[in-house]
Amino acid sequence: MTRHIPFIPTLLSFILVAFIFSPKPAEAHSYSAGYTKITMDSKKTELVFTLDTLSIIELIPGIDANKNFVLEKSEIKKNQHHLNELIEEGLTLDKGNKEQTPKITAMRLVKKENKEYLSTYMTFPAFSPGETIEFNDGFYYNDTGTNYVDLITASIYGESSEGVLQGKDRTWTFLVTEVQQEQGQTAQPEATHVQPKATAKPAEKTTSTSWFSFFKLGMLHILTGYDHLLFLLALLLRKQTFKQYAAIVTSFTIAHSISLSLAVLGWVTLPSRFVEAAIAFSICYVALENIFRKEIRFRWSITFLFGLIHGLGFAAVLKEMAIPKSHLAVTLLNFNLGIEAVQLSIVLLLLPLLTYLYKFRHSGKIVIYGSYAIVALGAIWLFERIFL
């Protein structure tokens, strides 16, 4: 039996090293998010595209002349031509497969929580009922190292719609149609999404429904939320009964679902810097429990408390979309289901491995050393989020 012992430390070390060397460890969610707001009526079409300034600096080499990782107004003015090219090449609005010419009317720096964004305001010609419109986003399309998403909210002739462009699904398609109403006819849209954008050669188009795009967004959100995953590992690492594991997973699910919903509805708001620091602290606390507590009891209660904080972290990406309240319930449900699908998969993967680990004589030491590594990484994140 002892000849199998090295496998477990190697596996545990691999998992911890993967966390340590994952990109952007100081951030809760290491992907770039763009926000697109489309407003369409009978007179004109307005589009506002908002992208974090760090992504702008990454996409236009040399724009950050003083290398301080801050996009300044003077740098925007000096590189206006390059910025216009970046936006016009990265985003297109097509009518019947014919690209429409935009007019960029303004670019403004905006600050949301502790992050800076650049909002670009564009106008397009008006579109009429019966026309098929396609919005295409090509940012980071061929960059496999960046988990980029574009979160769309649209008001088309007064009707609201939302969508998520991610991975290779980069085209949001809708047909503007007329709807008969009791007092006459008014132009209203029917929106469908999302279709993958063809690159070098035509691709067979398949349609993803709106609910599934938010389901995938939830999956991506937790898969790139390395601190959430490390917290989950810390919770499960110490040997417990099946009943205790079930209570932990259930309490975490209920807690983050509650706080996620309250945050997106705007009923609970905390500074993102505090939330991210508290998430890092939760990792340290649970790992220290693994090291110093002789017996793990009632972990579900502390998990519930920290789960409320993690839910606020999950909510950040949806809060920026300003989704109409009439659509929030379905959006939240699908987003949360995506999170839960990944979380449950990870639990089902880890528990058999941990059960195998506990069979060995030196398993206690492995859990202790692994917990020390988790404390160290959580402490690094905590320091960065408080002082940097």
Side-chain angles (χ1 to χ4, degrees):
M1 182 178 292
T2 55
R3 66 179 183 274
H4 297 296
I5 293 178
F7 166 76
I8 296 298
T10 300
L11 178 63
L12 187 60
S13 299
F14 175 79
I15 293 173
L16 292 174
V17 168
F19 279 117
I20 293 170
F21 290 101
S22 294
K24 300 181 184 178
E27 298 179 8
H29 312 289
S30 62
Y31 59 79
S32 177
Y35 298 91
T36 299
K37 182 178 180 181
I38 301 173
T39 305
M40 182 185 300
D41 57 30
S42 59
K43 297 180 180 179
K44 65 179 181 298
T45 299
E46 295 180 331
L47 189 151
V48 182
F49 177 70
T50 302
L51 185 64
D52 62 280
T53 55
L54 288 178
S55 293
I56 298 290
I57 291 171
E58 184 179 52
L59 290 165
I60 304 180
I63 192 173
D64 182 23
N66 56 10
K67 305 296 182 183
N68 64 349
F69 298 100
V70 176
L71 188 60
E72 299 169 358
K73 290 182 179 180
S74 59
E75 293 170 334
I76 294 174
K77 186 176 181 180
K78 184 178 180 180
N79 293 272
Q80 189 68 59
H81 176 69
H82 296 298
L83 285 166
N84 288 353
E85 281 187 343
L86 176 71
I87 298 298
E88 290 174 357
E89 291 176 7
L91 306 174
T92 62
L93 200 63
D94 300 346
K95 179 178 72 174
N97 295 322
K98 183 178 180 181
E99 185 176 334
Q100 303 298 294
T101 302
K103 179 182 179 182
I104 297 178
T105 58
M107 285 188 178
R108 297 171 186 165
L109 286 170
V110 293
K111 191 163 186 177
K112 300 179 180 182
E113 296 289 349
N114 61 339
K115 210 170 185 182
E116 280 205 333
Y117 295 82
L118 181 67
S119 290
T120 302
Y121 294 75
M122 313 166 69
T123 59
F124 291 86
F127 298 103
S128 303
E131 295 178 330
T132 299
I133 313 301
E134 289 186 346
F135 171 70
N136 305 295
D137 184 326
F139 282 101
Y140 294 109
Y141 188 76
N142 294 314
D143 188 349
T144 56
T146 301
N147 293 310
Y148 170 76
V149 296
D150 187 352
L151 307 169
I152 303 172
T153 53
S155 175
I156 305 170
Y157 282 83
E159 288 289 313
S160 298
S161 185
E162 300 82 37
V164 181
L165 303 184
Q166 54 193 313
K168 295 298 181 181
D169 292 335
R170 294 300 194 85
T171 300
W172 191 70
T173 305
F174 56 92
L175 172 66
V176 181
T177 63
E178 287 187 346
V179 178
Q180 180 71 36
Q181 295 185 343
E182 292 182 3
Q183 301 299 324
Q185 291 187 353
T186 58
Q188 302 286 356
E190 281 184 359
T192 62
H193 53 250
V194 169
Q195 297 184 8
K197 182 175 175 59
T199 50
K201 57 182 180 180
E204 182 180 355
K205 290 188 175 183
T206 58
T207 302
S208 299
T209 59
S210 175
W211 76 264
F212 188 60
S213 67
F214 282 99
F215 179 84
K216 290 194 297 182
L217 179 64
M219 295 177 64
L220 176 66
H221 203 59
I222 191 168
L223 283 172
T224 54
Y226 306 109
D227 45 6
H228 300 298
L229 296 178
L230 194 59
F231 177 70
L232 187 60
L233 174 61
L235 285 172
L236 302 177
L237 188 57
R238 182 74 179 268
K239 185 177 181 180
Q240 297 161 79
T241 65
F242 177 80
K243 185 177 180 180
Q244 286 175 310
Y245 283 134
I248 287 170
V249 174
T250 302
S251 63
F252 185 60
T253 298
I254 293 173
H256 76 64
S257 298
I258 291 172
S259 57
L260 167 64
S261 301
L262 294 178
V264 174
L265 288 168
W267 295 349
V268 175
T269 302
L270 290 176
S272 63
R273 196 176 187 88
F274 170 81
V275 172
E276 300 303 332
I279 289 172
F281 173 77
S282 72
I283 296 169
C284 296
Y285 181 89
V286 173
L288 288 171
E289 271 199 340
N290 291 341
I291 297 169
F292 295 109
R293 279 195 180 274
K294 292 183 178 181
E295 186 178 357
I296 297 296
R297 299 179 62 187
F298 308 113
R299 175 164 275 186
W300 65 268
S301 57
I302 193 67
T303 301
F304 184 87
L305 178 61
F306 285 137
L308 293 173
I309 298 296
H310 282 254
L312 298 178
F314 290 144
V317 68
L318 291 183
K319 285 174 65 178
E320 299 297 340
M321 287 187 71
I323 300 170
K325 290 186 177 181
S326 58
H327 295 189
L328 267 180
V330 175
T331 299
L332 281 171
L333 175 63
N334 296 320
F335 181 74
N336 210 38
L337 285 175
I339 292 173
E340 296 312 319
V342 172
Q343 179 179 292
L344 184 59
S345 299
I346 292 171
V347 171
L348 293 176
L349 174 66
L350 280 178
L351 286 185
L353 293 174
L354 292 172
T355 301
Y356 182 70
L357 164 66
Y358 301 144
K359 294 179 180 180
F360 300 112
R361 184 176 58 182
H362 300 292
S363 62
K365 290 184 179 180
I366 296 169
V367 170
I368 296 299
Y369 295 148
S371 296
Y372 273 120
I374 293 173
V375 171
L377 185 52
I380 292 171
W381 283 339
L382 182 59
F383 177 84
E384 290 177 332
R385 294 171 186 186
I386 293 177
F387 299 106
L388 300 184

